[in-house]
Amino acid sequence: MRLHIRHETRYTYEAPVSDSIQYIRLTPRNTPQQRIHDWHLEAPGETSQMVDGFGNLVTVMTLDKAVNEIVLTAEGIVDLTGKPLTRDDSPFPPEVFLRQTPLTEADEALKTLAVQHPPNKRGLVRLMKHLREHVAFMPGATTVTHTASEAFKQKAGVCQDHTHMFLACCRHIGVPARYVSGYIHSSNDAHVATHAWAEAWIGRNWQTFDVVNTLNVAESHIKLAVGLDYRDAAPVRGVRAGGGMEHMETRAWVTNPAGSQ
């Protein structure tokens, strides 16, 4: 299936930003599951390319002039092949993804839930469904600083929270699991196109677990980056001098041109 993606992110500031450096993970890489037909990223300032420790493509943007806003636009065409995930797509052994982080550290409630599910595909599918039933999808209920335990306790969050909770449980029962950021295509125009999900190492392969949509396959997903948690795979992270209060607005569209397959 061929998909067209357009993603706009706008940062506005109450005062001029004098200097800024941003690490932008908005460029997908070619994998057996996705082929990049065309892709370009528009960003102000000077840019350079690098690959981070997780194998993600990163654009480093630097600005040394005063600005009141920063606008980033990513757009391109990606072909989804429908092939299953492969075993050798990470620079690290899967066991690296057993490590908890401050965002995924499991409290007693998550540990109690985790041990009720065997560390196999059937058990993790049940875990995924339990988390989705227990924690409502509620935009605005959390921020990027909320932990898995906090979201589980308040029973509300967004895709990154559902993913963090799933990672916390998987790692507690000895299943390597990683955070994935990207896009998802849906026939529902109201569906949020930017997305996060998990991949767990079961047997000798990675398996997809999209908690929000309770999906065990990634047939409509475009992968941007992976990591231990949101901070490793965030689309944009960086530092700036000045600017005062910041307001961010982001919009993304994922469409199937002419219903192509």
Side-chain angles (χ1 to χ4, degrees), residues 24-29 34 52 54-58 97 178-183 195-197 199 222-236:
I24 306 167
R25 292 171 177 83
L26 287 174
T27 302
R29 60 187 176 93
Q34 60 186 33
D52 69 13
F54 293 100
N56 304 314
L57 301 179
V58 183
F97 295 95
R178 62 192 184 187
Y179 186 102
V180 186
S181 66
Y183 306 105
H195 198 42
W197 60 96
E199 290 174 353
I222 302 103
K223 184 188 299 186
L224 284 175
V226 302
L228 290 168
D229 60 19
Y230 167 81
R231 291 171 180 166
D232 291 331
V236 184

PDB file of all heavy atoms in Angstrom, residues 24-29 34 52 54-58 97 178-183 195-197 199 222-236:
ATOM      1  N   ILE A  24      15.989  16.115  15.118  1.00  0.00           N
ATOM      2  CA  ILE A  24      14.702  15.856  14.461  1.00  0.00           C
ATOM      3  C   ILE A  24      14.684  14.427  13.919  1.00  0.00           C
ATOM      4  O   ILE A  24      15.482  14.076  13.044  1.00  0.00           O
ATOM      5  CB  ILE A  24      14.467  16.871  13.321  1.00  0.00           C
ATOM      6  CG1 ILE A  24      14.611  18.308  13.845  1.00  0.00           C
ATOM      7  CG2 ILE A  24      13.108  16.653  12.685  1.00  0.00           C
ATOM      8  CD1 ILE A  24      14.718  19.346  12.744  1.00  0.00           C
ATOM      9  N   ARG A  25      13.773  13.623  14.446  1.00  0.00           N
ATOM     10  CA  ARG A  25      13.598  12.245  13.967  1.00  0.00           C
ATOM     11  C   ARG A  25      12.280  12.177  13.190  1.00  0.00           C
ATOM     12  O   ARG A  25      11.297  11.624  13.657  1.00  0.00           O
ATOM     13  CB  ARG A  25      13.619  11.271  15.141  1.00  0.00           C
ATOM     14  CG  ARG A  25      14.985  11.163  15.815  1.00  0.00           C
ATOM     15  CD  ARG A  25      14.950  10.365  17.094  1.00  0.00           C
ATOM     16  NE  ARG A  25      16.291  10.221  17.669  1.00  0.00           N
ATOM     17  CZ  ARG A  25      16.886  11.133  18.432  1.00  0.00           C
ATOM     18  NH1 ARG A  25      16.266  12.281  18.700  1.00  0.00           N
ATOM     19  NH2 ARG A  25      18.103  10.924  18.924  1.00  0.00           N
ATOM     20  N   LEU A  26      12.288  12.769  12.018  1.00  0.00           N
ATOM     21  CA  LEU A  26      11.100  12.814  11.165  1.00  0.00           C
ATOM     22  C   LEU A  26      11.391  12.252   9.775  1.00  0.00           C
ATOM     23  O   LEU A  26      10.681  12.554   8.818  1.00  0.00           O
ATOM     24  CB  LEU A  26      10.590  14.258  11.045  1.00  0.00           C
ATOM     25  CG  LEU A  26       9.903  14.832  12.287  1.00  0.00           C
ATOM     26  CD1 LEU A  26       9.582  16.313  12.081  1.00  0.00           C
ATOM     27  CD2 LEU A  26       8.635  14.063  12.621  1.00  0.00           C
ATOM     28  N   THR A  27      12.422  11.422   9.683  1.00  0.00           N
ATOM     29  CA  THR A  27      12.771  10.801   8.405  1.00  0.00           C
ATOM     30  C   THR A  27      12.741   9.290   8.557  1.00  0.00           C
ATOM     31  O   THR A  27      13.575   8.725   9.284  1.00  0.00           O
ATOM     32  CB  THR A  27      14.162  11.253   7.933  1.00  0.00           C
ATOM     33  OG1 THR A  27      14.183  12.690   7.812  1.00  0.00           O
ATOM     34  CG2 THR A  27      14.500  10.630   6.589  1.00  0.00           C
ATOM     35  N   PRO A  28      11.818   8.601   7.914  1.00  0.00           N
ATOM     36  CA  PRO A  28      11.783   7.139   8.018  1.00  0.00           C
ATOM     37  C   PRO A  28      12.920   6.517   7.222  1.00  0.00           C
ATOM     38  O   PRO A  28      13.430   7.107   6.271  1.00  0.00           O
ATOM     39  CB  PRO A  28      10.421   6.783   7.414  1.00  0.00           C
ATOM     40  CG  PRO A  28      10.138   7.898   6.455  1.00  0.00           C
ATOM     41  CD  PRO A  28      10.744   9.130   7.067  1.00  0.00           C
ATOM     42  N   ARG A  29      13.328   5.338   7.626  1.00  0.00           N
ATOM     43  CA  ARG A  29      14.372   4.634   6.881  1.00  0.00           C
ATOM     44  C   ARG A  29      13.780   3.429   6.157  1.00  0.00           C
ATOM     45  O   ARG A  29      12.731   2.912   6.532  1.00  0.00           O
ATOM     46  CB  ARG A  29      15.508   4.203   7.805  1.00  0.00           C
ATOM     47  CG  ARG A  29      15.129   3.266   8.931  1.00  0.00           C
ATOM     48  CD  ARG A  29      16.303   3.059   9.871  1.00  0.00           C
ATOM     49  NE  ARG A  29      15.946   2.240  11.012  1.00  0.00           N
ATOM     50  CZ  ARG A  29      16.109   0.918  11.069  1.00  0.00           C
ATOM     51  NH1 ARG A  29      16.610   0.275  10.021  1.00  0.00           N
ATOM     52  NH2 ARG A  29      15.765   0.239  12.148  1.00  0.00           N
ATOM     53  N   GLN A  34       8.882  -1.227   4.914  1.00  0.00           N
ATOM     54  CA  GLN A  34       8.528   0.061   4.303  1.00  0.00           C
ATOM     55  C   GLN A  34       9.635   0.504   3.352  1.00  0.00           C
ATOM     56  O   GLN A  34      10.819   0.422   3.678  1.00  0.00           O
ATOM     57  CB  GLN A  34       8.269   1.122   5.380  1.00  0.00           C
ATOM     58  CG  GLN A  34       9.446   1.405   6.299  1.00  0.00           C
ATOM     59  CD  GLN A  34       9.101   2.354   7.441  1.00  0.00           C
ATOM     60  OE1 GLN A  34       7.990   2.371   7.958  1.00  0.00           O
ATOM     61  NE2 GLN A  34      10.064   3.182   7.832  1.00  0.00           N
ATOM     62  N   ASP A  52      21.622   7.861  15.022  1.00  0.00           N
ATOM     63  CA  ASP A  52      21.835   7.753  16.469  1.00  0.00           C
ATOM     64  C   ASP A  52      22.142   6.310  16.869  1.00  0.00           C
ATOM     65  O   ASP A  52      22.223   5.404  16.039  1.00  0.00           O
ATOM     66  CB  ASP A  52      20.658   8.337  17.248  1.00  0.00           C
ATOM     67  CG  ASP A  52      19.378   7.507  17.122  1.00  0.00           C
ATOM     68  OD1 ASP A  52      19.434   6.358  16.652  1.00  0.00           O
ATOM     69  OD2 ASP A  52      18.297   8.026  17.502  1.00  0.00           O
ATOM     70  N   PHE A  54      20.439   4.039  18.174  1.00  0.00           N
ATOM     71  CA  PHE A  54      19.402   3.048  17.915  1.00  0.00           C
ATOM     72  C   PHE A  54      19.193   2.788  16.425  1.00  0.00           C
ATOM     73  O   PHE A  54      18.310   2.035  16.047  1.00  0.00           O
ATOM     74  CB  PHE A  54      18.081   3.500  18.550  1.00  0.00           C
ATOM     75  CG  PHE A  54      18.108   3.522  20.052  1.00  0.00           C
ATOM     76  CD1 PHE A  54      18.303   4.713  20.728  1.00  0.00           C
ATOM     77  CD2 PHE A  54      17.962   2.358  20.784  1.00  0.00           C
ATOM     78  CE1 PHE A  54      18.345   4.741  22.122  1.00  0.00           C
ATOM     79  CE2 PHE A  54      18.000   2.374  22.174  1.00  0.00           C
ATOM     80  CZ  PHE A  54      18.200   3.575  22.847  1.00  0.00           C
ATOM     81  N   GLY A  55      19.998   3.459  15.590  1.00  0.00           N
ATOM     82  CA  GLY A  55      19.864   3.295  14.148  1.00  0.00           C
ATOM     83  C   GLY A  55      18.862   4.227  13.512  1.00  0.00           C
ATOM     84  O   GLY A  55      18.551   4.089  12.324  1.00  0.00           O
ATOM     85  N   ASN A  56      18.349   5.202  14.267  1.00  0.00           N
ATOM     86  CA  ASN A  56      17.384   6.155  13.732  1.00  0.00           C
ATOM     87  C   ASN A  56      18.080   7.238  12.918  1.00  0.00           C
ATOM     88  O   ASN A  56      19.184   7.683  13.269  1.00  0.00           O
ATOM     89  CB  ASN A  56      16.615   6.839  14.870  1.00  0.00           C
ATOM     90  CG  ASN A  56      15.920   5.848  15.778  1.00  0.00           C
ATOM     91  OD1 ASN A  56      15.269   4.912  15.311  1.00  0.00           O
ATOM     92  ND2 ASN A  56      16.034   6.042  17.082  1.00  0.00           N
ATOM     93  N   LEU A  57      17.426   7.678  11.835  1.00  0.00           N
ATOM     94  CA  LEU A  57      17.931   8.795  11.041  1.00  0.00           C
ATOM     95  C   LEU A  57      17.584  10.098  11.757  1.00  0.00           C
ATOM     96  O   LEU A  57      16.420  10.345  12.085  1.00  0.00           O
ATOM     97  CB  LEU A  57      17.317   8.773   9.643  1.00  0.00           C
ATOM     98  CG  LEU A  57      17.565   7.507   8.820  1.00  0.00           C
ATOM     99  CD1 LEU A  57      16.871   7.617   7.463  1.00  0.00           C
ATOM    100  CD2 LEU A  57      19.050   7.254   8.637  1.00  0.00           C
ATOM    101  N   VAL A  58      18.590  10.937  11.978  1.00  0.00           N
ATOM    102  CA  VAL A  58      18.403  12.179  12.733  1.00  0.00           C
ATOM    103  C   VAL A  58      18.915  13.359  11.913  1.00  0.00           C
ATOM    104  O   VAL A  58      20.033  13.318  11.387  1.00  0.00           O
ATOM    105  CB  VAL A  58      19.145  12.138  14.084  1.00  0.00           C
ATOM    106  CG1 VAL A  58      18.872  13.419  14.882  1.00  0.00           C
ATOM    107  CG2 VAL A  58      18.754  10.906  14.881  1.00  0.00           C
ATOM    108  N   PHE A  97      16.802  -3.953  25.425  1.00  0.00           N
ATOM    109  CA  PHE A  97      15.471  -3.380  25.628  1.00  0.00           C
ATOM    110  C   PHE A  97      14.738  -3.994  26.829  1.00  0.00           C
ATOM    111  O   PHE A  97      13.526  -3.855  26.961  1.00  0.00           O
ATOM    112  CB  PHE A  97      14.651  -3.521  24.346  1.00  0.00           C
ATOM    113  CG  PHE A  97      15.217  -2.709  23.210  1.00  0.00           C
ATOM    114  CD1 PHE A  97      16.069  -3.284  22.283  1.00  0.00           C
ATOM    115  CD2 PHE A  97      14.937  -1.351  23.099  1.00  0.00           C
ATOM    116  CE1 PHE A  97      16.612  -2.538  21.245  1.00  0.00           C
ATOM    117  CE2 PHE A  97      15.482  -0.592  22.077  1.00  0.00           C
ATOM    118  CZ  PHE A  97      16.318  -1.186  21.142  1.00  0.00           C
ATOM    119  N   ARG A 178      10.530  -2.451  22.905  1.00  0.00           N
ATOM    120  CA  ARG A 178      11.018  -1.132  22.532  1.00  0.00           C
ATOM    121  C   ARG A 178       9.876  -0.218  22.110  1.00  0.00           C
ATOM    122  O   ARG A 178       8.825  -0.668  21.664  1.00  0.00           O
ATOM    123  CB  ARG A 178      12.053  -1.230  21.424  1.00  0.00           C
ATOM    124  CG  ARG A 178      11.557  -1.835  20.112  1.00  0.00           C
ATOM    125  CD  ARG A 178      12.708  -2.156  19.176  1.00  0.00           C
ATOM    126  NE  ARG A 178      12.241  -2.660  17.880  1.00  0.00           N
ATOM    127  CZ  ARG A 178      13.050  -3.136  16.932  1.00  0.00           C
ATOM    128  NH1 ARG A 178      14.356  -3.158  17.134  1.00  0.00           N
ATOM    129  NH2 ARG A 178      12.551  -3.575  15.785  1.00  0.00           N
ATOM    130  N   TYR A 179      10.136   1.065  22.264  1.00  0.00           N
ATOM    131  CA  TYR A 179       9.181   2.123  21.914  1.00  0.00           C
ATOM    132  C   TYR A 179       9.364   2.469  20.433  1.00  0.00           C
ATOM    133  O   TYR A 179      10.491   2.565  19.938  1.00  0.00           O
ATOM    134  CB  TYR A 179       9.466   3.346  22.779  1.00  0.00           C
ATOM    135  CG  TYR A 179       8.483   4.493  22.648  1.00  0.00           C
ATOM    136  CD1 TYR A 179       7.503   4.700  23.614  1.00  0.00           C
ATOM    137  CD2 TYR A 179       8.555   5.397  21.588  1.00  0.00           C
ATOM    138  CE1 TYR A 179       6.621   5.771  23.520  1.00  0.00           C
ATOM    139  CE2 TYR A 179       7.676   6.456  21.481  1.00  0.00           C
ATOM    140  CZ  TYR A 179       6.710   6.638  22.455  1.00  0.00           C
ATOM    141  OH  TYR A 179       5.833   7.689  22.351  1.00  0.00           O
ATOM    142  N   VAL A 180       8.247   2.677  19.727  1.00  0.00           N
ATOM    143  CA  VAL A 180       8.282   3.043  18.313  1.00  0.00           C
ATOM    144  C   VAL A 180       7.449   4.300  18.101  1.00  0.00           C
ATOM    145  O   VAL A 180       6.302   4.382  18.566  1.00  0.00           O
ATOM    146  CB  VAL A 180       7.731   1.921  17.411  1.00  0.00           C
ATOM    147  CG1 VAL A 180       7.917   2.288  15.948  1.00  0.00           C
ATOM    148  CG2 VAL A 180       8.395   0.583  17.725  1.00  0.00           C
ATOM    149  N   SER A 181       8.007   5.278  17.416  1.00  0.00           N
ATOM    150  CA  SER A 181       7.244   6.466  17.023  1.00  0.00           C
ATOM    151  C   SER A 181       7.049   6.449  15.519  1.00  0.00           C
ATOM    152  O   SER A 181       7.889   5.920  14.774  1.00  0.00           O
ATOM    153  CB  SER A 181       7.968   7.749  17.437  1.00  0.00           C
ATOM    154  OG  SER A 181       9.188   7.882  16.720  1.00  0.00           O
ATOM    155  N   GLY A 182       5.942   7.021  15.064  1.00  0.00           N
ATOM    156  CA  GLY A 182       5.692   7.058  13.627  1.00  0.00           C
ATOM    157  C   GLY A 182       4.316   7.576  13.295  1.00  0.00           C
ATOM    158  O   GLY A 182       3.766   8.440  13.996  1.00  0.00           O
ATOM    159  N   TYR A 183       3.760   7.027  12.223  1.00  0.00           N
ATOM    160  CA  TYR A 183       2.448   7.435  11.738  1.00  0.00           C
ATOM    161  C   TYR A 183       1.585   6.195  11.520  1.00  0.00           C
ATOM    162  O   TYR A 183       2.095   5.079  11.385  1.00  0.00           O
ATOM    163  CB  TYR A 183       2.565   8.179  10.400  1.00  0.00           C
ATOM    164  CG  TYR A 183       3.508   9.353  10.402  1.00  0.00           C
ATOM    165  CD1 TYR A 183       4.763   9.269   9.803  1.00  0.00           C
ATOM    166  CD2 TYR A 183       3.151  10.553  10.999  1.00  0.00           C
ATOM    167  CE1 TYR A 183       5.636  10.344   9.786  1.00  0.00           C
ATOM    168  CE2 TYR A 183       4.018  11.633  11.000  1.00  0.00           C
ATOM    169  CZ  TYR A 183       5.257  11.532  10.390  1.00  0.00           C
ATOM    170  OH  TYR A 183       6.113  12.593  10.398  1.00  0.00           O
ATOM    171  N   HIS A 195       1.686   8.714  15.864  1.00  0.00           N
ATOM    172  CA  HIS A 195       1.341   7.567  16.694  1.00  0.00           C
ATOM    173  C   HIS A 195       2.572   7.004  17.391  1.00  0.00           C
ATOM    174  O   HIS A 195       3.715   7.330  17.038  1.00  0.00           O
ATOM    175  CB  HIS A 195       0.694   6.498  15.813  1.00  0.00           C
ATOM    176  CG  HIS A 195      -0.083   5.469  16.563  1.00  0.00           C
ATOM    177  ND1 HIS A 195      -0.909   5.777  17.615  1.00  0.00           N
ATOM    178  CD2 HIS A 195      -0.149   4.108  16.420  1.00  0.00           C
ATOM    179  CE1 HIS A 195      -1.463   4.677  18.076  1.00  0.00           C
ATOM    180  NE2 HIS A 195      -1.003   3.648  17.380  1.00  0.00           N
ATOM    181  N   ALA A 196       2.309   6.168  18.391  1.00  0.00           N
ATOM    182  CA  ALA A 196       3.365   5.426  19.077  1.00  0.00           C
ATOM    183  C   ALA A 196       2.834   4.033  19.391  1.00  0.00           C
ATOM    184  O   ALA A 196       1.653   3.856  19.693  1.00  0.00           O
ATOM    185  CB  ALA A 196       3.775   6.139  20.361  1.00  0.00           C
ATOM    186  N   TRP A 197       3.714   3.043  19.309  1.00  0.00           N
ATOM    187  CA  TRP A 197       3.343   1.670  19.624  1.00  0.00           C
ATOM    188  C   TRP A 197       4.590   0.944  20.119  1.00  0.00           C
ATOM    189  O   TRP A 197       5.659   1.546  20.254  1.00  0.00           O
ATOM    190  CB  TRP A 197       2.729   0.976  18.414  1.00  0.00           C
ATOM    191  CG  TRP A 197       3.584   0.853  17.189  1.00  0.00           C
ATOM    192  CD1 TRP A 197       4.351  -0.216  16.812  1.00  0.00           C
ATOM    193  CD2 TRP A 197       3.759   1.843  16.156  1.00  0.00           C
ATOM    194  NE1 TRP A 197       4.988   0.041  15.619  1.00  0.00           N
ATOM    195  CE2 TRP A 197       4.642   1.291  15.187  1.00  0.00           C
ATOM    196  CE3 TRP A 197       3.259   3.131  15.947  1.00  0.00           C
ATOM    197  CZ2 TRP A 197       5.041   1.984  14.049  1.00  0.00           C
ATOM    198  CZ3 TRP A 197       3.660   3.829  14.817  1.00  0.00           C
ATOM    199  CH2 TRP A 197       4.529   3.251  13.889  1.00  0.00           C
ATOM    200  N   GLU A 199       7.135  -2.738  20.173  1.00  0.00           N
ATOM    201  CA  GLU A 199       7.563  -3.985  19.556  1.00  0.00           C
ATOM    202  C   GLU A 199       8.229  -4.828  20.634  1.00  0.00           C
ATOM    203  O   GLU A 199       9.081  -4.321  21.380  1.00  0.00           O
ATOM    204  CB  GLU A 199       8.523  -3.731  18.395  1.00  0.00           C
ATOM    205  CG  GLU A 199       7.840  -3.088  17.194  1.00  0.00           C
ATOM    206  CD  GLU A 199       8.795  -2.699  16.084  1.00  0.00           C
ATOM    207  OE1 GLU A 199      10.024  -2.804  16.277  1.00  0.00           O
ATOM    208  OE2 GLU A 199       8.298  -2.265  15.023  1.00  0.00           O
ATOM    209  N   ILE A 222       3.776   3.497   9.708  1.00  0.00           N
ATOM    210  CA  ILE A 222       5.042   3.955   9.146  1.00  0.00           C
ATOM    211  C   ILE A 222       5.964   4.270  10.312  1.00  0.00           C
ATOM    212  O   ILE A 222       5.647   5.109  11.154  1.00  0.00           O
ATOM    213  CB  ILE A 222       4.878   5.202   8.257  1.00  0.00           C
ATOM    214  CG1 ILE A 222       3.891   4.933   7.112  1.00  0.00           C
ATOM    215  CG2 ILE A 222       6.221   5.656   7.707  1.00  0.00           C
ATOM    216  CD1 ILE A 222       2.534   5.544   7.340  1.00  0.00           C
ATOM    217  N   LYS A 223       7.084   3.590  10.378  1.00  0.00           N
ATOM    218  CA  LYS A 223       8.003   3.722  11.512  1.00  0.00           C
ATOM    219  C   LYS A 223       8.997   4.845  11.266  1.00  0.00           C
ATOM    220  O   LYS A 223       9.638   4.918  10.220  1.00  0.00           O
ATOM    221  CB  LYS A 223       8.733   2.399  11.743  1.00  0.00           C
ATOM    222  CG  LYS A 223       9.640   2.393  12.959  1.00  0.00           C
ATOM    223  CD  LYS A 223      10.476   1.123  13.032  1.00  0.00           C
ATOM    224  CE  LYS A 223       9.618  -0.113  13.138  1.00  0.00           C
ATOM    225  NZ  LYS A 223      10.458  -1.326  13.359  1.00  0.00           N
ATOM    226  N   LEU A 224       9.145   5.738  12.275  1.00  0.00           N
ATOM    227  CA  LEU A 224      10.139   6.806  12.218  1.00  0.00           C
ATOM    228  C   LEU A 224      11.361   6.487  13.063  1.00  0.00           C
ATOM    229  O   LEU A 224      12.494   6.654  12.624  1.00  0.00           O
ATOM    230  CB  LEU A 224       9.529   8.128  12.701  1.00  0.00           C
ATOM    231  CG  LEU A 224       8.585   8.865  11.752  1.00  0.00           C
ATOM    232  CD1 LEU A 224       7.986  10.075  12.452  1.00  0.00           C
ATOM    233  CD2 LEU A 224       9.303   9.297  10.481  1.00  0.00           C
ATOM    234  N   ALA A 225      11.143   6.056  14.308  1.00  0.00           N
ATOM    235  CA  ALA A 225      12.265   5.877  15.225  1.00  0.00           C
ATOM    236  C   ALA A 225      11.905   4.867  16.305  1.00  0.00           C
ATOM    237  O   ALA A 225      10.718   4.635  16.594  1.00  0.00           O
ATOM    238  CB  ALA A 225      12.659   7.212  15.860  1.00  0.00           C
ATOM    239  N   VAL A 226      12.937   4.283  16.915  1.00  0.00           N
ATOM    240  CA  VAL A 226      12.754   3.362  18.036  1.00  0.00           C
ATOM    241  C   VAL A 226      13.670   3.779  19.170  1.00  0.00           C
ATOM    242  O   VAL A 226      14.639   4.526  18.980  1.00  0.00           O
ATOM    243  CB  VAL A 226      13.044   1.899  17.633  1.00  0.00           C
ATOM    244  CG1 VAL A 226      12.146   1.459  16.490  1.00  0.00           C
ATOM    245  CG2 VAL A 226      14.512   1.714  17.272  1.00  0.00           C
ATOM    246  N   GLY A 227      13.365   3.272  20.378  1.00  0.00           N
ATOM    247  CA  GLY A 227      14.197   3.566  21.539  1.00  0.00           C
ATOM    248  C   GLY A 227      13.671   2.880  22.769  1.00  0.00           C
ATOM    249  O   GLY A 227      12.730   2.075  22.698  1.00  0.00           O
ATOM    250  N   LEU A 228      14.262   3.206  23.906  1.00  0.00           N
ATOM    251  CA  LEU A 228      13.809   2.636  25.171  1.00  0.00           C
ATOM    252  C   LEU A 228      12.497   3.249  25.628  1.00  0.00           C
ATOM    253  O   LEU A 228      11.708   2.610  26.316  1.00  0.00           O
ATOM    254  CB  LEU A 228      14.876   2.834  26.254  1.00  0.00           C
ATOM    255  CG  LEU A 228      16.153   2.010  26.099  1.00  0.00           C
ATOM    256  CD1 LEU A 228      17.220   2.514  27.059  1.00  0.00           C
ATOM    257  CD2 LEU A 228      15.869   0.537  26.349  1.00  0.00           C
ATOM    258  N   ASP A 229      12.263   4.516  25.249  1.00  0.00           N
ATOM    259  CA  ASP A 229      11.027   5.198  25.613  1.00  0.00           C
ATOM    260  C   ASP A 229      10.829   6.403  24.689  1.00  0.00           C
ATOM    261  O   ASP A 229      11.581   6.577  23.707  1.00  0.00           O
ATOM    262  CB  ASP A 229      11.013   5.618  27.090  1.00  0.00           C
ATOM    263  CG  ASP A 229      12.141   6.578  27.453  1.00  0.00           C
ATOM    264  OD1 ASP A 229      12.721   7.220  26.550  1.00  0.00           O
ATOM    265  OD2 ASP A 229      12.459   6.697  28.650  1.00  0.00           O
ATOM    266  N   TYR A 230       9.842   7.234  25.021  1.00  0.00           N
ATOM    267  CA  TYR A 230       9.522   8.397  24.189  1.00  0.00           C
ATOM    268  C   TYR A 230      10.733   9.300  23.971  1.00  0.00           C
ATOM    269  O   TYR A 230      10.943   9.816  22.863  1.00  0.00           O
ATOM    270  CB  TYR A 230       8.389   9.197  24.846  1.00  0.00           C
ATOM    271  CG  TYR A 230       8.205  10.567  24.246  1.00  0.00           C
ATOM    272  CD1 TYR A 230       7.484  10.737  23.062  1.00  0.00           C
ATOM    273  CD2 TYR A 230       8.766  11.696  24.853  1.00  0.00           C
ATOM    274  CE1 TYR A 230       7.331  12.001  22.491  1.00  0.00           C
ATOM    275  CE2 TYR A 230       8.612  12.960  24.288  1.00  0.00           C
ATOM    276  CZ  TYR A 230       7.903  13.111  23.113  1.00  0.00           C
ATOM    277  OH  TYR A 230       7.768  14.353  22.557  1.00  0.00           O
ATOM    278  N   ARG A 231      11.529   9.500  25.000  1.00  0.00           N
ATOM    279  CA  ARG A 231      12.644  10.442  24.890  1.00  0.00           C
ATOM    280  C   ARG A 231      13.653  10.025  23.829  1.00  0.00           C
ATOM    281  O   ARG A 231      14.269  10.864  23.177  1.00  0.00           O
ATOM    282  CB  ARG A 231      13.319  10.593  26.257  1.00  0.00           C
ATOM    283  CG  ARG A 231      12.448  11.319  27.272  1.00  0.00           C
ATOM    284  CD  ARG A 231      13.031  11.270  28.660  1.00  0.00           C
ATOM    285  NE  ARG A 231      12.181  11.967  29.629  1.00  0.00           N
ATOM    286  CZ  ARG A 231      12.292  11.865  30.940  1.00  0.00           C
ATOM    287  NH1 ARG A 231      13.235  11.089  31.445  1.00  0.00           N
ATOM    288  NH2 ARG A 231      11.480  12.515  31.745  1.00  0.00           N
ATOM    289  N   ASP A 232      13.839   8.731  23.653  1.00  0.00           N
ATOM    290  CA  ASP A 232      14.776   8.244  22.639  1.00  0.00           C
ATOM    291  C   ASP A 232      14.232   8.398  21.225  1.00  0.00           C
ATOM    292  O   ASP A 232      15.010   8.518  20.276  1.00  0.00           O
ATOM    293  CB  ASP A 232      15.091   6.760  22.870  1.00  0.00           C
ATOM    294  CG  ASP A 232      15.912   6.525  24.119  1.00  0.00           C
ATOM    295  OD1 ASP A 232      16.680   7.427  24.508  1.00  0.00           O
ATOM    296  OD2 ASP A 232      15.784   5.435  24.710  1.00  0.00           O
ATOM    297  N   ALA A 233      12.912   8.333  21.079  1.00  0.00           N
ATOM    298  CA  ALA A 233      12.301   8.294  19.746  1.00  0.00           C
ATOM    299  C   ALA A 233      11.442   9.519  19.450  1.00  0.00           C
ATOM    300  O   ALA A 233      10.703   9.522  18.461  1.00  0.00           O
ATOM    301  CB  ALA A 233      11.457   7.029  19.607  1.00  0.00           C
ATOM    302  N   ALA A 234      11.524  10.547  20.278  1.00  0.00           N
ATOM    303  CA  ALA A 234      10.702  11.738  20.085  1.00  0.00           C
ATOM    304  C   ALA A 234      10.963  12.358  18.719  1.00  0.00           C
ATOM    305  O   ALA A 234      12.121  12.461  18.291  1.00  0.00           O
ATOM    306  CB  ALA A 234      10.989  12.763  21.176  1.00  0.00           C
ATOM    307  N   PRO A 235       9.921  12.780  18.002  1.00  0.00           N
ATOM    308  CA  PRO A 235      10.125  13.401  16.687  1.00  0.00           C
ATOM    309  C   PRO A 235      11.041  14.614  16.717  1.00  0.00           C
ATOM    310  O   PRO A 235      11.844  14.805  15.804  1.00  0.00           O
ATOM    311  CB  PRO A 235       8.700  13.785  16.264  1.00  0.00           C
ATOM    312  CG  PRO A 235       7.825  12.815  16.983  1.00  0.00           C
ATOM    313  CD  PRO A 235       8.484  12.600  18.313  1.00  0.00           C
ATOM    314  N   VAL A 236      10.932  15.438  17.783  1.00  0.00           N
ATOM    315  CA  VAL A 236      11.776  16.639  17.900  1.00  0.00           C
ATOM    316  C   VAL A 236      12.178  16.817  19.360  1.00  0.00           C
ATOM    317  O   VAL A 236      11.324  16.832  20.253  1.00  0.00           O
ATOM    318  CB  VAL A 236      11.049  17.908  17.416  1.00  0.00           C
ATOM    319  CG1 VAL A 236      12.004  19.111  17.456  1.00  0.00           C
ATOM    320  CG2 VAL A 236      10.487  17.725  16.010  1.00  0.00           C
TER     321      VAL A 236
END
